[in-house]
Amino acid sequence: IPLITESPVGINERLMSLRFPLSKGRFMTVLSVYAPTLAADDVTKDSFYDCLRGTLQSIPPLEKLIILGDFNARVGSNHRVWEGVIGKHGIGSLNGNGFRLLSLSSEFGLVITNTLFQQRNQRKATWMHSRSKHLHLLDYVITRSRDVGDVHITRAMRGAECCTDHRLVISLFQLCFAPPLRKQKPTKRLNVRACKSADVRSSLRQEIYEALRSEATSSSA
């Protein structure tokens, strides 16, 4: 992989992007996200998601994309309603922030990879409520639906020391690229318009007659 040639870009206090050069002249953009909490007012939430939406629109559609961070959102486990956005292995119930995240993901053809893999809830949950001790999934690794095959696993790391009450999330990717389309040689086109000439038609008849007679002679021999 070529050396990183671009510096991280701080879009605002909640969004940061970093563009990685990959092989064959391709790129991957990684977005780091810290979304407003559920208790934040709607204006703050709308401003955040509008900025995230604008950032996603600015990324070339053929470019690899990974979004990761604390979305403070619960996306639930209803994969039938949100087919193609979450997998069969989500946890908990949907809340308002989760609906915003799912709607945005559906709009841009994104998949929440945390919900794709069958594993114990302890390996999916990233935060535990201090009083109820209920496990919640709030931190996500998201990618384009066409690149889901790149993801080997996304899981929470229990016991990792990272100076927060959230669990560290690890996701393993193996970047795969479709082979480039090969340029095909243009096929030779028949000049049909030339047949309007009587001389051309006569010459063509003669060539066909000679070719058929030669074929018949070789077959009889």
Side-chain angles (χ1 to χ4, degrees):
I1 297 177
L3 296 176
I4 297 175
T5 57
E6 301 182 24
S7 300
V9 177
I11 301 168
N12 57 32
E13 68 276 8
R14 293 186 176 276
L15 280 174
M16 183 179 72
S17 70
L18 179 59
R19 196 164 183 250
F20 291 90
L22 302 176
S23 61
K24 301 179 181 179
R26 306 192 187 191
F27 288 86
M28 176 178 68
T29 294
V30 175
L31 295 181
S32 178
V33 173
Y34 177 58
T37 63
L38 188 63
D41 58 81
D42 287 341
V43 174
T44 300
K45 295 177 185 178
D46 290 342
S47 176
F48 167 77
Y49 277 96
D50 286 344
C51 184
L52 179 55
R53 179 176 286 102
T55 302
L56 292 174
Q57 289 172 341
S58 68
I59 299 173
L62 296 180
E63 195 165 286
K64 297 277 187 180
L65 171 65
I66 299 175
I67 310 170
L68 47 86
D70 180 5
F71 280 87
N72 283 304
R74 296 189 312 212
V75 298
S77 56
N78 196 339
H79 64 92
R80 292 184 178 86
V81 173
W82 297 99
E83 184 177 1
V85 179
I86 62 175
K88 298 180 180 180
H89 306 291
I91 62 173
S93 57
L94 176 68
N95 66 7
N97 280 2
F99 181 80
R100 290 174 183 265
L101 176 57
L102 290 171
S103 299
L104 182 78
S105 298
S106 178
E107 179 182 346
F108 287 92
L110 305 175
V111 176
I112 298 173
T113 66
N114 309 62
T115 65
L116 298 179
F117 304 98
Q118 184 176 6
Q119 48 194 339
R120 291 181 297 171
N121 284 350
Q122 289 84 349
R123 293 189 176 183
K124 290 186 284 187
T126 62
W127 182 74
M128 177 186 290
H129 195 281
S130 58
R131 293 190 300 273
S132 68
K133 304 301 180 182
H134 288 165
L135 296 172
H136 299 285
L137 177 56
L138 304 178
D139 307 85
Y140 301 101
V141 178
I142 304 172
T143 191
R144 299 190 194 275
S145 58
R146 68 164 184 268
D147 295 328
V148 163
D150 292 349
V151 190
H152 286 196
I153 188 67
T154 299
R155 55 163 292 189
M157 301 293 291
R158 300 177 63 192
E161 294 293 337
C162 46
C163 301
T164 176
D165 59 345
H166 287 241
R167 292 174 178 172
L168 182 69
V169 178
I170 184 171
S171 190
L172 300 180
F173 281 70
Q174 180 177 352
L175 301 180
C176 301
F177 300 100
L181 296 176
R182 295 182 178 180
K183 294 183 178 180
Q184 297 181 348
K185 295 181 179 179
T187 56
K188 190 175 181 180
R189 302 180 63 182
L190 296 175
N191 185 7
V192 180
R193 293 183 179 180
C195 292
K196 292 182 179 180
S197 169
D199 292 339
V200 172
R201 291 199 301 271
S202 177
S203 177
L204 182 59
R205 290 193 194 99
Q206 185 63 32
E207 289 181 12
I208 294 174
Y209 172 76
E210 294 293 341
L212 291 176
R213 187 174 67 173
S214 176
E215 180 68 23
T217 303
S218 61
S219 297
S220 61

